[in-house]
Amino acid sequence: MIIKFSEYDISCSWDPEDEYEKFIRRMNPPRVVIDNEASKTATVIRVDSANKHGILLEVVQVLTDMNLIVTKAYISSDGGWFMDVFNVTDRDGNKIFDEVVLDYIKKSLGADSSFVPPPRRSVGVEPSKDHTSIELTGTDRPGLLSEISAVLTDLKCNVVNAEIWTHNTRAAAVMHVTDEATGSAILDPERLSKIKKLLCNVLKGNNKTRGAKTVVALGVTHTERRLHQMMFADRDYERCDDDTLDEKHRPNVTMVNWYDKDYSIVTIRCKDRPKLLYDTVCTLTDMQYVVFHANIDAEGPEAYQEYYIRHVDGSPVNSEGEKERMIQCLEAAIERRVSDGLKLELCTSDRVGLLSDVTRIFRENSLSVTRAEVTTRAGKAINTFYVRDAAGNPVDARIIDSIRQEIGQTVLQVKGSSEYCKSAPQESPTRFLFGGLFKSRSLCNFGLVKPYS
C-alpha cells in the first residue's frame, strides 16, 4: 500500500506540542465510571481526564454518535483536569443496561480511546479508498438536490451516503460517492476536476451575489461537524433584512460577562431535541471558545444550557460586536438541524441514480427538500427527506398521496405526522410508475423491504 501526502498534509511532521499531549494522556488516561444506581431515570456517566481544548466536544460526539440522549450534564475543566458528568438515556427514555453498549461506551471514552482527530487546516483533493467525499455549499432553492443528483448520475457516480442541510437561504452537503463501474473511490484527477466544475455551476445558478463552493474533501472530520463548519464559513448566521421569522420561534440565547472571574456566561433556552448539546458545543469549539464550566438540563420539553467560557487566549467576550456574532452563530447552529418540513423515509434496494430519480419526482411535484440523510447498508438505500412545497409551506396531503402511489406505498413512508398516519389507500398497479426505475417492476420484489415501525 502506498500512502501519499498532499502539500497541505501536516501529519508527516513531528509536532512537539502534540507529543507532549500524548505523553500527558498516557500518564493520565481518561477514567470512565458508569452508574445505573445514582439516578432513577438515567444512566450516569462520569469522565475524568487530562484537559485539552476540544475534549468536551469529543466526549459529546461519542455519546451523540451512539444515539444517547443527554438529559443532564455538569462540566468542569478549570486547571489541567477535565471532569464531566452526563445523565443519559436511549432514544426511548430508558436507562442503558446492555453490557455490550456499556462496554463500548467505556472503550470509546476510556484509556484506549483515540477520540476524533482534529480537522485539517485546509481542504484539497484526496479521495479515500472506498469513496470520494464531496463538499458543497451554495444558495438554496427548490430542486437543488435534484439537480445535483442528476449531474452526479450523468457523471456515472453513485451516491452511497450524504447529508444535506439548509438554513437561511444557504445549503450545504457532504456526499460520499463511488464510481459506477468499480464501486470504489474516483481517482482520475481530470474526472474529479470535471465533477467539481459542473457541480459548482449548478450551485451558482443565477445567484451572482453569494458564492458557491465545491471541493473534494481531505481528512476525516466528522460529517455533522463539517456541515456546521461549512455553513459557519458560508455565514448562514447573517440574517436577511426581510427575515420575518417570529422571534418566539427563535432560540433564546443571551450572554453576560462575569468580570470578577473573567468569564463570559452564555445561556440558551429552546425546545429540546436530540443532538442539541452537540450542536452548541461544536459551534463554541470551532469559534475558538473554551468551556470551563457548564450546566445542562434537558429533562423537560425545554432545554436549558449554561456555559462559562473564555476565548482560547484566555479573554472573555470583549465587545458588543463579538457578543452579537456569538449569539447569531449559536442561534444558527440550533436552527440548522431543526426538521423543517414533513418527514419522508424511503427504503429499497440501492442502485445508481436512485437519489436522482426520487428527488426528480419531488421536484416535479413542486416539493423542496429542506434536509436529507442518505445511507446505504448491505445493498439497501435508507433515505430520509424533510420536504415542504416550493413556497416553503406545508405540503398538500394529496400531493404526498400521489407521490407515494408513484413510488410505492411500502417504499416511501410518511413519519411523524398524524395527518398521514391513517391507513393508506390500496395501490393500483397502473399507478406504480416508479417500479421500473428500481431493479424490478413489481411490488412483490420488495419483499425484503419492510415498512418502518
Side-chain angles (χ1 to χ4, degrees):
M1 180 176 67
I2 299 176
I3 301 177
K4 185 178 181 181
F5 297 100
S6 76
E7 61 177 311
Y8 301 107
D9 198 328
I10 60 173
S11 60
C12 57
S13 60
W14 182 76
D15 186 343
E17 184 177 345
D18 183 57
E19 292 300 318
Y20 177 73
E21 288 184 1
K22 291 178 181 177
F23 173 74
I24 294 298
R25 185 178 177 83
R26 286 194 296 269
M27 295 299 294
N28 301 280
R31 187 170 68 93
V32 181
V33 176
I34 299 178
D35 187 347
N36 264 317
E37 302 298 327
S39 170
K40 293 182 179 180
T41 58
T43 298
V44 179
I45 302 174
R46 299 182 179 90
V47 182
D48 297 338
S49 171
N51 193 19
K52 66 172 183 176
H53 179 56
I55 189 172
L56 174 59
L57 175 59
E58 294 171 352
V59 173
V60 171
Q61 187 167 292
V62 169
L63 300 177
T64 301
D65 286 346
M66 295 184 68
N67 289 321
L68 300 180
I69 305 298
V70 178
T71 59
K72 278 183 176 292
Y74 307 93
I75 294 132
S76 179
S77 62
D78 258 341
W81 199 252
F82 170 83
M83 295 175 288
D84 206 349
V85 180
F86 295 96
N87 287 18
V88 304
T89 67
D90 63 17
R91 285 297 180 98
D92 298 320
N94 303 315
K95 290 186 178 183
I96 315 300
F97 290 106
D98 189 323
E99 290 297 330
V100 174
V101 176
L102 295 176
D103 186 59
Y104 184 81
I105 293 173
K106 290 180 180 178
K107 289 182 178 179
S108 299
L109 297 176
D112 297 330
S113 67
S114 58
F115 288 126
V116 179
R120 302 287 185 178
R121 294 184 179 179
S122 59
V123 178
V125 177
E126 185 162 315
S128 73
K129 180 180 179 181
D130 299 324
H131 62 258
T132 300
S133 182
I134 301 175
E135 298 178 354
L136 311 166
T137 53
T139 302
D140 185 33
R141 65 177 185 273
L144 179 61
L145 180 56
S146 174
E147 295 176 39
I148 291 171
S149 304
V151 168
L152 290 172
T153 299
D154 288 343
L155 294 171
K156 308 299 181 183
C157 300
N158 185 36
V159 180
V160 293
N161 291 289
E163 191 150 354
I164 299 94
W165 290 0
T166 64
H167 176 248
N168 197 20
T169 74
R170 307 304 293 169
V174 175
M175 311 182 82
H176 295 168
V177 303
T178 58
D179 179 72
E180 177 182 345
T182 65
S184 58
I186 300 168
L187 303 175
D188 183 6
E190 291 187 7
R191 187 176 176 193
L192 290 173
S193 179
K194 182 178 181 181
I195 291 172
K196 290 169 63 177
K197 180 180 179 180
L198 292 178
L199 287 177
C200 199
N201 289 339
V202 170
L203 287 163
K204 286 179 181 177
N206 296 322
N207 192 309
K208 305 300 182 182
T209 60
R210 292 290 295 270
K213 188 176 183 181
T214 304
V215 297
V216 181
L218 170 69
V220 289
T221 305
H222 189 275
T223 296
E224 293 175 352
R225 183 177 185 185
R226 191 70 192 114
L227 285 165
H228 275 302
Q229 292 172 339
M230 291 161 61
M231 298 204 85
F232 171 74
D234 199 36
R235 307 192 311 279
D236 75 315
Y237 54 84
E238 295 179 347
R239 301 276 181 193
C240 302
D241 293 336
D242 60 347
D243 187 355
T244 57
L245 179 66
D246 194 332
E247 289 290 338
K248 70 180 181 181
H249 292 130
R250 281 186 181 157
N252 182 355
V253 183
T254 60
M255 199 221 76
V256 296
N257 278 338
W258 184 10
Y259 292 104
D260 290 346
K261 299 293 184 181
D262 283 337
Y263 289 129
S264 294
I265 306 174
V266 179
T267 303
I268 299 172
R269 289 182 175 89
C270 65
K271 182 179 179 181
D272 188 35
R273 60 166 174 75
K275 301 188 178 183
L276 176 64
L277 177 60
Y278 175 82
D279 294 337
T280 54
V281 171
C282 181
T283 299
L284 288 171
T285 303
D286 283 334
M287 290 183 72
Q288 298 297 299
Y289 292 102
V290 178
V291 176
F292 286 86
H293 303 281
N295 178 31
I296 311 298
D297 188 344
E299 289 189 313
E302 182 180 76
Y304 173 84
Q305 299 181 357
E306 184 180 64
Y307 299 100
Y308 292 71
I309 67 170
R310 294 180 187 143
H311 198 267
V312 288
D313 64 8
S315 65
V317 174
N318 289 317
S319 69
E320 282 298 315
E322 183 183 0
K323 172 183 174 181
E324 184 63 27
R325 182 170 180 264
M326 174 190 287
I327 290 173
Q328 288 180 344
C329 290
L330 286 170
E331 287 177 347
I334 294 168
E335 293 169 354
R336 285 171 196 143
R337 203 195 290 269
V338 172
S339 303
D340 184 20
L342 182 68
K343 183 178 180 180
L344 303 177
E345 290 185 346
L346 180 141
C347 184
T348 188
S349 298
D350 185 42
R351 61 167 178 79
V352 176
L354 174 63
L355 182 62
S356 175
D357 290 331
V358 173
T359 53
R360 175 182 55 79
I361 290 177
F362 290 165
R363 175 170 52 84
E364 289 173 349
N365 284 273
S366 298
L367 297 190
S368 179
V369 177
T370 60
R371 189 159 72 88
E373 298 176 19
V374 176
T375 58
T376 304
R377 301 172 190 165
K380 294 293 178 183
I382 305 171
N383 301 343
T384 302
F385 304 95
Y386 294 87
V387 298
R388 299 185 74 83
D389 72 11
N393 300 314
V395 182
D396 189 316
R398 292 169 296 181
I399 293 177
I400 295 298
D401 289 340
S402 175
I403 291 173
R404 293 188 67 210
Q405 287 283 350
E406 185 171 357
I407 294 178
Q409 300 280 359
T410 60
V411 175
L412 187 67
Q413 299 284 316
V414 179
K415 310 299 288 186
S417 175
S418 58
E419 180 181 357
Y420 295 95
C421 289
K422 302 174 184 178
S423 57
Q426 293 296 316
E427 302 174 38
S428 167
T430 60
R431 289 283 297 150
F432 189 55
L433 305 179
F434 201 40
L437 298 177
F438 291 95
K439 290 184 177 180
S440 61
R441 296 176 179 269
S442 172
L443 277 175
C444 65
N445 287 26
F446 288 98
L448 294 176
V449 180
K450 298 180 180 179
Y452 286 81
S453 57

